[in-house]
Amino acid sequence: MDSSSMEEKTLPMFEVGPCEDAYHLGFLIGQRFSKQIRSRLATDLILQNQLRPFAQTHPQSQPLIKALSDANQNKLPRYWDELLGTAEGSGVSVLDLILLNFRKEILPFVPNTAKNSKVDTADDCSDVLVVSDSMAVAAHNEDANVALVGHTYLIRATLSNGLSFTAYTYAGELPSCAFGFNNHGLAFTLNSVPPTEDEIVAGGIGRNFISRDLLEAISMDDALTRIHSSEASVGHSYNLIDTRARRILNVETASRNRVSVREVGEIPFFHANMYLHLQVQQVHDENSLSRQKRAALLPKESKTDFLSLLGDTDNAKYPIYMAGPILYTLCTTVVDLDEQTLSIIEGNPKEGQVTHVFLISENSILHNRSVPHPG
């Protein structure tokens, strides 16, 4: 990890909007976080060793990138404009941001010879969810490649229609490929899942575009409608949280509009990075299987238990809480549906260093311990 990524251990936050259009929103975000975006482009090994060489030299790359660009621009044009604005505002190439935002849709088509297994796992996440009489909680570890350390930020956007959202965002990507919430009381966390190559449809809608769209859902039904009609290329697992209705759904998706919805109830539900209820051919993931087995053994009676589970480092090779050298838990977030709050914890959640607490429906900050970062 280089010193520049260590400098900004506190999570910077940018309040933006309403803007005249989506391009301007993206432009302001790109301008504000130009340093983080440029630093990420300079240090992201997946981008440098796999995505860029593929885009520059492989004959298959141009048709694939064009198909992805066209499909996403046509279906979700505002978010495409936001991406273009982010590139312009941060002074980086549009192609680099396309490669970052569609990395999950492009990587399956990169020839194996270009892949290095050490940097191939871009992200993992763990969630434990429950809705019982005594508590309704979603707790989530945001795990990513160590290259993302120091390259994340919070976007708090207000749109011209009055909707506002807060989104934990990876530098250069659309808000949010991680977790977020809006002032309609709707929140989500995400888990990547690994379908096999023949389950993937080239040139479909990108996961970053679908989750950006979820930030604007006004109800659980609206969120499900957006997922059902998303025409995803790869697939994903969404933990949809409706604080007003006190409901959590785990939604697993795959290409060709395959969707499975499971309502979370009083039996705590743990999700790593595997399909659990949608019937899809998937890549065998030892890391996820290990976390799934370990989570099954640990107590899940209280919020404290949830944080202890997410902080567990019992398995040296595949811990639930990750501290490098390749995968790293960037933060932990806890959504309490009864308090209607979303909290962010930095460091091991067992120690519970809460840096931010947001009131979800109001989209307001109750507590922000992070130090504002200049510039």
Side-chain angles (χ1 to χ4, degrees):
M1 233 180 295
D2 68 355
S3 59
S4 67
S5 52
M6 294 304 288
E7 276 169 26
E8 192 144 349
K9 280 298 276 186
T10 54
L11 187 59
M13 183 160 60
F14 181 45
E15 303 207 25
V16 61
C19 296
E20 59 203 59
D21 55 29
Y23 182 90
H24 190 226
L25 176 69
F27 182 88
L28 292 174
I29 293 169
Q31 194 175 50
R32 167 63 182 84
F33 292 114
S34 172
K35 180 178 160 233
Q36 286 90 340
I37 293 168
R38 289 165 174 271
S39 173
R40 180 179 177 193
L41 294 179
T43 54
D44 190 315
L45 294 178
I46 294 171
L47 176 70
Q48 291 176 9
N49 298 345
Q50 298 177 51
L51 295 169
R52 271 187 192 146
F54 174 71
Q56 288 157 2
T57 62
H58 200 278
Q60 227 190 328
S61 67
Q62 294 313 311
L64 175 62
I65 290 167
K66 185 176 188 325
L68 281 167
S69 301
D70 290 349
N72 286 269
Q73 183 176 10
N74 289 338
K75 189 171 177 67
L76 297 164
R78 278 195 300 120
Y79 312 142
W80 181 259
D81 289 348
E82 206 173 293
L83 187 154
L84 297 181
T86 304
E88 178 72 21
S90 58
V92 304
S93 82
V94 172
L95 177 60
D96 274 343
L97 291 201
I98 287 172
L99 295 174
L100 279 189
N101 278 277
F102 294 113
R103 68 185 186 279
K104 288 287 187 181
E105 289 75 27
I106 295 171
L107 278 171
F109 301 97
V110 175
N112 283 330
T113 49
K115 292 187 183 175
N116 169 346
S117 60
K118 285 205 165 176
V119 296
D120 200 30
T121 310
D123 45 24
D124 284 285
C125 292
S126 299
D127 278 78
V128 57
L129 315 159
V130 72
V131 179
S132 69
D133 290 344
S134 59
M135 65 175 195
V137 169
H140 166 88
N141 276 359
E142 185 58 35
D143 305 325
N145 190 288
V146 73
L148 268 304
V149 175
H151 297 126
T152 62
Y153 41 79
L154 288 168
I155 300 295
R156 290 172 51 75
T158 302
L159 307 182
S160 49
N161 63 2
L163 185 137
S164 58
F165 64 77
T166 298
Y168 184 92
T169 303
Y170 290 7
E173 298 188 43
L174 292 174
S176 162
C177 65
F179 58 86
F181 68 89
N182 67 27
N183 60 340
H184 289 278
L186 209 75
F188 63 79
T189 66
L190 304 171
N191 310 95
S192 62
V193 282
T196 57
E197 285 186 30
D198 50 7
E199 295 278 9
I200 295 168
V201 170
I205 302 304
R207 297 183 327 168
N208 280 14
F209 277 69
I210 299 164
S211 51
R212 172 68 185 83
D213 198 36
L214 283 180
L215 285 170
E216 300 194 17
I218 58 170
S219 66
M220 188 71 99
D221 284 346
D222 184 24
L224 286 170
T225 299
R226 289 170 193 245
I227 289 172
H228 273 283
S229 65
S230 62
E231 299 164 29
S233 168
V234 177
H236 217 11
S237 169
Y238 302 89
N239 302 302
L240 298 180
I241 303 155
D242 185 338
T243 57
R244 292 175 179 178
R246 204 175 183 268
R247 290 179 75 199
I248 302 175
L249 301 179
N250 175 251
V251 184
E252 293 182 345
T253 71
S255 61
R256 297 184 279 278
N257 283 337
R258 289 170 289 173
V259 178
S260 172
V261 179
R262 177 179 286 191
E263 180 107 24
V264 173
E266 61 188 30
I267 297 168
F269 180 70
F270 180 84
H271 205 292
N273 300 97
M274 294 159 50
Y275 287 102
L276 296 179
H277 47 95
L278 183 64
Q279 297 307 303
V280 174
Q281 292 293 314
Q282 61 182 322
V283 179
H284 180 86
D285 178 14
E286 202 60 50
N287 188 332
S288 281
L289 288 166
S290 167
R291 284 180 283 140
Q292 205 79 39
K293 280 180 194 157
R294 177 64 181 158
L297 302 174
L298 294 170
K300 294 177 275 294
E301 299 294 316
S302 65
K303 204 192 280 192
T304 305
D305 287 348
F306 280 21
L307 294 177
S308 291
L309 185 157
L310 291 179
D312 186 75
T313 54
D314 182 70
N315 186 316
K317 191 174 183 189
Y318 299 122
I320 294 175
Y321 179 80
M322 304 176 185
I326 297 158
L327 289 169
Y328 196 91
T329 301
L330 299 170
C331 67
T332 300
T333 188
V334 180
V335 180
D336 187 313
L337 286 74
D338 294 322
E339 293 176 358
Q340 302 215 346
T341 56
L342 180 146
S343 308
I344 296 175
I345 301 168
E346 295 190 354
N348 189 308
K350 284 183 188 180
E351 276 86 71
Q353 184 62 44
V354 177
T355 59
H356 301 73
V357 182
F358 298 97
L359 197 56
I360 289 176
S361 292
E362 312 293 319
N363 195 12
S364 59
I365 307 170
L366 291 178
H367 162 69
N368 175 11
R369 198 180 287 163
S370 74
V371 182
H373 189 270

